[in-house]
Amino acid sequence: MSEESDSLRTSPSVASLSENELPPPAEPPGYVCSLTEDLVTKAREELQEKPEWRLRDVQALRDMVRKECPNLSTSLDDAFLLRFLRARKFDYDRALQLLVNYHSCRRSWPEVFNNLKPSALKDVLASGFLTVLPHTDPRGCHILCMRPDRWIPSNYPITENIRAIYLTLEKLIQSEETQVNGIVILADYKGVSLSKASHFGPFIAKKVIGILQDGFPIRIKAVHVVNEPRIFKGIFAIIKPFLKEKIANRFFLHGSDLNSLHTSLPRSILPKEYGGTAGELDITAWNAVLLASEEDFVREFCQTVPVCDSILGQALPPEGLTSDAQCDDSLRAVKSQLYSCY
């Protein structure tokens, strides 16, 4: 008798099954916290996360989804739901609303979220439009570096840049460390022209900001803008009306004064392009991380999953989901601002 047959014959679990029974499917492994002791303490103090109640809180949110949103196609894994609880400081109702908004946003902007995978964005990644720096800031925040001047509008539409941003955020938020610490954005507007700025109109600005504020489980701790030209006054005029006060207060405009930037982001963690001592800016490492995650993104964003309209109707919706016509007057006003600032 073969070893396989012998093991089946002597296995109590298999031997106890009748001929018509099959063993139950293996359950996915339970949640295992990867946070350090310091991050557990930080999560307790800043996010109201109590380790002894963590799984109870996750189960409470899972029960709410099943009861109030039974047709919402979403993962109910512990680790996935924890993202939303942490983003809303373990307020069940707000975490549920964020989860519903998250799926509503994905469904309402298909040109951004459909087929969202690294291989579909190789041109954007290769351009250097965005990357994640290898070192975190003193608070442990990963630094998302964006350089709009690297985008050539004739090569691909602005929505491809937005897709790359969300691709990066989805990868970052998989880390429990990022869920607790949040992220910092470093935006370099050197060389951004009037014609390029005009692509980022109120309609797109409102959608992007609406999703970041109300439809994605990420904590944005600061936005540092450097090398902004005069035209940025017009760009910020587009953005500011849609920002909540808390987020607006986290914008810091440094101009060409890198010493000002270094008061928040030390030179030791910055590339030399920003007066740092951490070597030249390298986009290849982060691009490799994303491209290695291809299968994960294919499973999550490249499948057709029906979602109940009545459930998605419960979303706010985040302030970004309006029609182009509603933004026409605003767009004309902003264009005049752009020209006056140029």
Side-chain angles (χ1 to χ4, degrees):
M1 183 178 291
S2 68
E3 291 182 5
E4 180 180 4
S5 299
D6 188 61
S7 65
L8 288 175
R9 180 178 58 81
T10 58
S11 171
S13 60
V14 175
S16 62
L17 294 173
S18 69
E19 293 182 357
N20 295 326
E21 287 182 313
L22 292 175
E27 294 185 0
Y31 167 77
V32 177
C33 182
S34 64
L35 298 175
T36 64
E37 289 186 13
D38 288 344
L39 285 177
V40 168
T41 300
K42 183 176 183 177
R44 183 189 291 272
E45 294 174 351
E46 296 186 10
L47 308 181
Q48 320 306 319
E49 178 176 345
K50 299 177 176 61
E52 63 273 22
W53 292 352
R54 185 188 290 127
L55 293 183
R56 180 209 67 174
D57 294 335
V58 169
Q59 186 60 47
L61 179 57
R62 184 183 292 115
D63 291 342
M64 290 178 69
V65 174
R66 287 171 172 164
K67 180 180 179 181
E68 300 182 28
C69 311
N71 296 315
L72 182 64
S73 296
T74 184
S75 170
L76 294 177
D77 291 349
D78 293 347
F80 182 76
L81 294 179
L82 264 175
R83 301 177 189 179
F84 296 87
L85 285 166
R86 285 170 173 154
R88 291 299 180 261
K89 298 186 176 181
F90 281 76
D91 182 314
Y92 298 166
D93 291 329
R94 294 177 65 228
L96 177 62
Q97 185 66 68
L98 178 61
L99 176 63
V100 172
N101 289 350
Y102 172 80
H103 287 288
S104 176
C105 292
R106 284 174 52 172
R107 188 171 183 268
S108 300
W109 207 357
E111 58 267 43
V112 167
F113 291 101
N114 284 359
N115 197 38
L116 185 65
K117 57 183 180 179
S119 62
L121 293 165
K122 285 184 177 179
D123 289 344
V124 183
L125 298 179
S127 75
F129 169 77
L130 88 167
T131 192
V132 174
L133 301 186
H135 304 288
T136 60
D137 80 347
R139 297 176 295 180
C141 304
H142 280 289
I143 302 169
L144 173 59
C145 179
M146 294 193 296
R147 298 181 291 171
D149 70 302
R150 307 299 293 238
W151 171 50
I152 301 175
S154 60
N155 287 352
Y156 47 79
I158 192 172
T159 49
E160 291 298 284
N161 294 329
I162 296 168
R163 280 161 57 78
I165 292 171
Y166 285 120
L167 186 83
T168 292
L169 293 179
E170 284 284 353
K171 184 60 183 177
L172 284 173
I173 204 59
Q174 291 177 4
S175 164
E176 290 195 280
E177 178 183 347
T178 299
Q179 294 169 25
V180 174
N181 288 330
I183 66 168
V184 165
I185 296 174
L186 173 59
D188 181 358
Y189 276 86
K190 182 179 180 179
V192 174
S193 63
L194 172 64
S195 61
K196 188 172 291 187
S198 65
H199 288 267
F200 193 69
F203 182 59
I204 288 180
K206 194 173 185 182
K207 293 184 82 165
V208 171
I209 293 169
I211 294 173
L212 289 177
Q213 292 186 142
D214 297 312
F216 197 89
I218 195 92
R219 304 175 71 211
I220 300 175
K221 305 302 292 183
V223 179
H224 295 281
V225 181
V226 296
N227 297 320
E228 69 273 17
R230 286 184 299 167
I231 191 65
F232 187 80
K233 293 180 181 179
I235 297 174
F236 198 66
I238 299 173
I239 297 172
K240 193 170 183 179
F242 310 127
L243 293 173
K244 294 180 179 179
E245 182 179 2
K246 181 174 71 172
I247 296 295
N249 291 336
R250 293 177 179 175
F251 269 73
F252 302 95
L253 309 183
H254 301 283
S256 59
D257 183 5
L258 295 181
N259 288 327
S260 171
L261 174 67
H262 298 157
T263 61
S264 299
L265 302 179
R267 296 175 69 241
S268 60
I269 68 172
L270 290 173
K272 72 174 189 179
E273 287 84 348
Y274 302 110
T277 59
E280 294 185 356
L281 182 61
D282 177 21
I283 66 172
T284 59
W286 181 250
N287 286 356
V289 169
L290 290 178
L291 291 169
S293 304
E294 178 81 6
E295 291 185 7
D296 292 339
F297 281 98
V298 168
R299 281 194 299 270
E300 180 65 22
F301 289 93
C302 303
Q303 310 296 326
T304 303
V305 179
V307 182
C308 179
D309 288 338
S310 62
I311 295 301
L312 294 182
Q314 296 176 13
L316 292 180
E319 298 181 2
L321 307 179
T322 56
S323 67
D324 292 286
Q326 289 175 283
C327 291
D328 282 348
D329 291 340
S330 177
L331 179 58
R332 283 191 290 269
V334 168
K335 281 185 175 179
S336 66
Q337 288 178 315
L338 289 174
Y339 279 102
S340 65
C341 293
Y342 192 64

